Amino acid sequence: MKTFNKTLIAVSVALTSTQTLAAGFQLNSQSATGIGRAFAGDAVIADNASVLSRNPAAMALFDNDALSVGLTYADITVDVKDVNFAGGTIDLGSIDNAGSTKLIPNMFYIHPIDDKFAIGFAAFSNFGTGTDSSTLSNNKPAAPYDLLGETEVTTVNFNTSVSYRIDEMFSIGVGLDAVYGEGRLTRDAGTTPLLDVDADGWGFGGIVGATIELNKDHRFGLSYRFSPTVNVKGDVNTISTKDLSALGLGAQTKLATRFDSLDVPLADIFQVAGFHQLTPKFAIHYTAQFTQWGDFHQITAKDGVATILPGQAGAGMSINAGDAPLKVYQWEDSWLMSLGGTYTINDQFTVRAGYLHDQGVVDEISSISIPDSDRNWFTAGMSYHVNPQNTVDFGIAYVKGEEVHLIENSAIAGPVNAITESTGMYYSMQYSYQF
């Protein structure tokens, strides 16, 4: 199955690309206020309903119903440079921008039932990506077609949560996540489609959290999100070559294989946050977040049936391909650290800023379609309080990833050398209403 699995490597590339400029294929775009302060303290600040994306226990900090709706525009630039193989004798050139732009919406609603219980509902995204590196292989012989192509992956998290205030200091919360994912992938060798994936599906996870309020000016929050393995179903088709000499057929038999589904594991997320109102106008806040990418071993294609292509011995014969484990990534767990500050100018305007350092997850195995690296976020934001009930928030972030020199093995072309670098701009706007 070794050769067979290598031809499917691009499926895992499609569903684990990092052009969202966060660890693995994780998104950081849940709110405009969060972007403005680099998500520092987001699990406990609770200045609007978007805190529900980070910590269900923080709903206990609300005395009245709260609604937040927002939209983030992510403009991601991915430079792929000096792509070459065959010992550097074949040069595929460069792409100035293999990334894509994304509009990422969100919605949060919190309803306190009484002085003990609150419930909340949310729709947002924790994972997603979009890239296109197909131009590197256009009209070029023996290119690493299995590594280059178009990718689009989207997830939406529908969350229902409840919180309980134990006393004036402690609150706890729990939530259920229903995660919908869909992906579109193409990998073409000229006019021959090596991979064609169009699939969607659901997975179910959850989140637990707690808050500790020392007093009204100093509090802490922590949460743990159990992310599911999403099973996506649809059109999952591949073209590959396999040694079938044991069956009396060719050693280089070409097969068209159709799979029923893919299992896509998502990473668990743990975070701790703090908030400190140092003066009536100025506060500092911080977050440490641990994402368990070390458990991300592979993506599995399920229940495959392969058919021998025409013009070969046994043409038209079907073979049970079973489950196909894909490329082993050997990803590492990653930490995110952020620090931010908020300054209240007056009753109408609040400004904020932050810095975030995010660790990459790639260890020894790199990928052209996963130009993962450590990255730094520099962010700023502002809130305009129309009145005590209505607030409009703005956030902007500049994200800079490190330049990565990598070698990735192609089943078609052998070792491929490349240099990758990612940068991005996030622009976010949000409307919040306190009932």
Side-chain angles (χ1 to χ4, degrees):
M1 297 291 291
K2 183 177 180 182
T3 302
F4 179 76
N5 293 340
K6 283 183 178 180
T7 62
L8 292 173
I9 185 175
V11 175
S12 58
V13 169
L15 296 175
T16 57
S17 184
T18 59
Q19 307 324 318
T20 51
L21 288 182
F25 50 103
Q26 186 178 356
L27 280 173
N28 281 317
S29 60
Q30 290 78 16
S31 69
T33 46
I35 287 177
R37 56 182 169 242
F39 307 99
D42 255 26
V44 75
I45 291 181
D47 49 356
N48 57 68
S50 66
V51 71
L52 188 54
S53 69
R54 301 281 176 164
N55 186 3
M59 294 191 298
L61 301 174
F62 289 78
D63 296 324
N64 301 303
D65 287 23
L67 171 71
S68 290
V69 293
L71 186 67
T72 297
Y73 176 79
D75 185 8
I76 309 302
T77 299
V78 181
D79 294 331
V80 183
K81 300 176 287 186
D82 299 331
V83 182
N84 64 85
F85 61 98
T89 60
I90 301 179
D91 188 357
L92 298 182
S94 304
I95 301 178
D96 291 334
N97 188 5
S100 66
T101 60
K102 279 186 175 291
L103 283 173
I104 310 168
N106 56 71
M107 185 279 292
F108 308 92
Y109 176 69
I110 294 173
H111 172 63
I113 299 173
D114 53 31
D115 60 354
K116 290 289 186 180
F117 287 96
I119 59 173
F121 306 95
F124 57 97
S125 180
N126 281 323
F127 302 96
T129 187
T131 60
D132 188 356
S133 57
S134 58
T135 58
L136 283 172
S137 60
N138 286 350
N139 302 315
K140 295 174 182 176
Y145 301 111
D146 52 336
L147 307 183
L148 308 172
E150 182 181 0
T151 296
E152 184 69 28
V153 176
T154 302
T155 68
V156 182
N157 189 330
F158 298 95
N159 172 271
T160 301
S161 294
V162 61
S163 68
Y164 176 73
R165 176 172 288 282
I166 299 173
D167 55 30
E168 291 185 356
M169 181 176 289
F170 298 102
S171 301
I172 56 175
V174 62
L176 173 67
D177 292 328
V179 181
Y180 171 77
E182 62 180 17
R184 172 65 180 158
L185 163 68
T186 59
R187 294 290 186 268
D188 298 327
T191 59
T192 302
L194 295 179
L195 291 169
D196 187 356
V197 177
D198 191 355
D200 64 343
W202 291 86
F204 295 90
I207 184 171
V208 295
T211 61
I212 303 170
E213 301 170 69
L214 302 182
N215 52 49
K216 67 182 183 63
D217 293 329
H218 301 277
R219 54 186 182 267
F220 303 92
L222 66 158
S223 67
Y224 190 97
R225 169 159 266 120
F226 303 88
S227 296
T229 293
V230 178
N231 180 260
V232 294
K233 299 180 179 180
D235 295 326
V236 182
N237 302 294
T238 72
I239 300 294
S240 62
T241 301
K242 186 179 180 182
D243 184 356
L244 298 181
S245 55
L247 300 178
L249 302 173
Q252 295 291 319
T253 301
K254 292 184 178 181
L255 303 169
T257 306
R258 179 182 177 88
F259 293 92
D260 285 346
S261 65
L262 300 172
D263 279 347
V264 185
L266 303 178
D268 291 355
I269 304 169
F270 171 73
Q271 61 185 303
V272 178
F275 172 82
H276 306 282
Q277 190 72 46
L278 301 182
T279 73
K281 288 185 174 291
F282 179 68
I284 63 168
H285 26 86
Y286 45 85
T287 288
Q289 177 177 291
F290 175 79
T291 306
Q292 201 167 0
W293 286 115
D295 287 342
F296 184 85
H297 300 299
Q298 65 186 34
I299 290 174
T300 304
K302 308 285 288 185
D303 301 324
V305 176
T307 303
I308 298 177
L309 292 173
Q312 307 172 97
M317 180 187 299
S318 293
I319 301 170
N320 182 12
D323 297 345
L326 305 180
K327 179 185 176 182
V328 176
Y329 284 95
Q330 298 181 6
W331 279 8
E332 296 182 314
D333 297 332
S334 67
W335 281 96
L336 173 157
M337 305 287 184
S338 64
L339 176 66
T342 298
Y343 184 78
T344 302
I345 298 175
N346 52 40
D347 290 341
Q348 283 192 304
F349 292 99
T350 300
V351 293
R352 56 186 61 88
Y355 166 76
L356 182 155
H357 179 74
D358 194 13
Q359 289 182 328
V361 300
V362 172
D363 188 14
E364 296 180 358
I365 301 176
S366 300
S367 172
I368 294 172
S369 293
I370 309 181
D372 193 49
S373 69
D374 291 357
R375 59 198 62 79
N376 297 296
W377 294 56
F378 306 91
T379 75
M382 181 188 74
S383 293
Y384 172 59
H385 308 284
V386 180
N387 54 45
Q389 286 75 42
N390 295 274
T391 301
V392 180
D393 304 297
F394 304 91
I396 186 171
Y398 170 69
V399 188
K400 175 66 173 177
E402 297 178 353
E403 186 176 83
V404 176
H405 295 249
L406 62 88
I407 301 174
E408 182 178 12
N409 188 61
S410 165
I412 297 173
V416 179
N417 301 278
I419 300 172
T420 63
E421 186 176 13
S422 300
T423 59
M425 292 295 301
Y426 282 69
Y427 308 91
S428 188
M429 182 177 179
Q430 175 180 289
Y431 169 73
S432 295
Y433 184 78
Q434 298 275 351
F435 290 82

